[in-house]
Structure formats: structure tokens, C-alpha cells
Amino acid sequence: MARHDLKRAEKARRAYERGEARRFTRRSRRRRITWIVSAVSVLFVVGFVTGAVYSPLLSLKIIQVEGASRVSSASVRAAVDGQLGRPLALVDFDAITRSISKFPLIRSFVTETVPPDTLIIRIAERAPIATLATSSGFSVVDPAGIVIESGAERQPGLPLIELGAATRGSPAFTASVGVLLALPSTLLKRIDTVTAQTSDDVTLTLTGGQSVVWGSVEQSALKAKVLAAVIAVGGTTMKYDVSAPNHPVLAGN
């Protein structure tokens, strides 16, 4: 009986110890299971997203060009159509930039990808400000002096800048452009020619033949207001001097 009781006690002790071991390790097992389930879930999500992003279903099929007026939208699309068929995540925007930079009419651009298969290119074109005479005809330029287009004949509706010995990028050109940018549209459309040798001797010739001594580009906003006022009362005046805008001078025929 004593041996039987001893075995029973040892069996009960081992059962108790196993129960205690399971009780103390239950929390760690739960943490381990939770970690495994979370890791598998993250891997599944990452794999799913990666597969979706690089899937042919999200490859570039449509290129839209917005904001084009003087530049050809078809030409812009043709320049970047090497990106067609690429997953949107792998579109080479550096290559797109290099291709679009070859268009002198485009001043800047932004891109937008629209899943599942579209790339939108929004461009801002260079705005013409004047024409310059060249050995082969005339060049239309923007305020920075970038040639937008060239032709044998002067383009109507744009002032002609005459610089003499000065060139594009010179102080004379910068001053001439500064004056044109300061003019309201009602005056700008009446300008036929801008003449300058330096930054301080800008002279305008109106479409009616009147000349305007402007001087430097300083106080151009005030000079523009004064010029508009004196033209309104000028009558047969053929020469205006607004180089000192507080003391304008009018001269007749």
C-alpha cells in the first residue's frame, strides 16, 4: 500500500508540474502565435501590393498632354511614348524630362500618374514678348530671350526690339523687356518698336508713329500711368518724354 500511495503521489506531482509549466508558458505561446500571424499578414499585404503595383494591369497605356497651344501635343506624346507599357511605378521621369526639355516652346511641366494606366503631362508654354531682327529674318522671343520661333517675316502683334550692337541677354534687352512687361495691355498693343542701346536709353515708337522717351526701366509702372494720361490729352503730339515721370514733356509736330 505504501508503494502504491507513493507512485500515486509521484504521478500527481508530475501532472501538477506539467500543468504549472503549461500555465506559465501559455502567455508566451500566445505572443508567439500572435507574432507569427501578424508577420504572415504583413508579408501577404506587401506581396499583394507589390504584385499589384508591378502588375501589367497597372502599366502605362495612355499619355495625356494638357496646356499645349503653340507646341504640338502629338509631338510631346511621341517624344515620351517609350514609356508606354511600363508599370506606373517604373516610369522613368528623368527620361521624360530629358525628352521634353528638347522643346523650346515648353517653359515647364508637371506630371501626374492616374492609376490604373494613365500619365498626364501638364505643360506651361513660353509666352512671346517681342521679336528681334536677325540676319535671316525675325525671331520671336520670350522675356528670358529664349527663341520661340523664327521666320522670314515679322510676326504681327508683337513689338520689335532694336538693340543696335547689343544682344539678347544684354542690359539693353533686359531693360526693353522690363518696360514691355510694365505696360498695361491697352498700351502694349500700341507699341510698334522698342529701341535701346543701354539700360538707360529705352525709347518706344507707337503704331501711330509717335515716339516715347522712356529712359531706364526704373519707375516703369509710374511711367506707364503717366504715358497713358498724356496720350489721352496729347492731340497732335508726336513725342512724349516720360523719363522723369513727375515732369512729362510733350512736343508737337
Side-chain angles (χ1 to χ4, degrees):
M1 289 295 292
R3 290 176 182 173
H4 179 73
D5 291 340
L6 180 59
K7 289 182 178 179
R8 181 184 299 175
E10 290 179 351
K11 185 177 181 180
R13 180 177 59 79
R14 287 196 295 270
Y16 173 77
E17 290 175 349
R18 287 196 296 269
E20 287 297 295
R22 284 195 298 270
R23 184 171 68 85
F24 283 110
T25 59
R26 186 179 298 120
R27 181 177 298 177
S28 62
R29 288 200 306 273
R30 287 176 178 174
R31 286 199 302 265
R32 185 161 56 250
I33 292 172
T34 300
W35 185 89
I36 292 172
V37 171
S38 299
V40 171
S41 299
V42 170
L43 290 174
F44 175 78
V45 171
V46 170
F48 176 79
V49 171
T50 301
V53 168
Y54 293 96
S55 168
L57 297 176
L58 290 177
S59 61
L60 180 61
K61 297 181 179 68
I62 301 171
I63 298 176
Q64 296 180 2
V65 178
E66 298 180 357
S69 176
R70 302 170 69 89
V71 67
S72 167
S73 297
S75 297
V76 176
R77 282 194 296 270
V80 299
D81 65 5
Q83 302 299 317
L84 290 172
R86 286 175 175 260
L88 291 183
L90 296 180
V91 170
D92 189 343
F93 291 98
D94 289 337
I96 290 176
T97 299
R98 290 192 296 271
S99 297
I100 293 182
S101 65
K102 297 177 182 178
F103 291 84
L105 284 174
I106 298 178
R107 176 173 56 83
S108 61
F109 74 96
V110 294
T111 60
E112 178 186 359
T113 53
V114 182
D117 58 7
T118 301
L119 172 68
I120 300 175
I121 302 175
R122 297 185 176 91
I123 66 175
E125 296 182 340
R126 296 187 181 278
I129 187 68
T131 58
L132 294 174
T134 67
S135 58
S136 58
F138 297 89
S139 294
V140 176
V141 297
D142 76 344
I146 303 298
V147 176
I148 295 176
E149 59 182 273
S150 298
E153 298 182 358
R154 177 182 171 183
Q155 183 169 316
L158 290 175
L160 174 67
I161 296 179
E162 295 181 340
L163 300 174
T167 60
R168 280 183 296 138
S170 66
F173 176 81
T174 302
S176 299
V177 169
V179 171
L180 292 176
L181 292 175
L183 296 175
S185 59
T186 53
L187 278 179
L188 183 60
K189 65 183 181 181
R190 298 185 61 177
I191 306 301
D192 179 73
T193 307
V194 182
T195 304
Q197 300 288 322
T198 70
S199 60
D200 299 318
D201 65 349
V202 178
T203 300
L204 311 178
T205 301
L206 305 184
T207 53
Q210 303 94 328
S211 66
V212 180
V213 177
W214 196 273
S216 71
V217 72
E218 295 180 3
Q219 295 184 292
S220 283
L222 176 59
K223 292 176 182 179
K225 293 180 180 179
V226 172
L227 178 60
V230 297
I231 286 178
V233 299
T236 59
T237 298
M238 292 302 294
K239 184 175 182 179
Y240 304 92
D241 188 335
V242 294
S243 57
N246 294 319
H247 304 284
V249 177
L250 287 72
N253 292 326

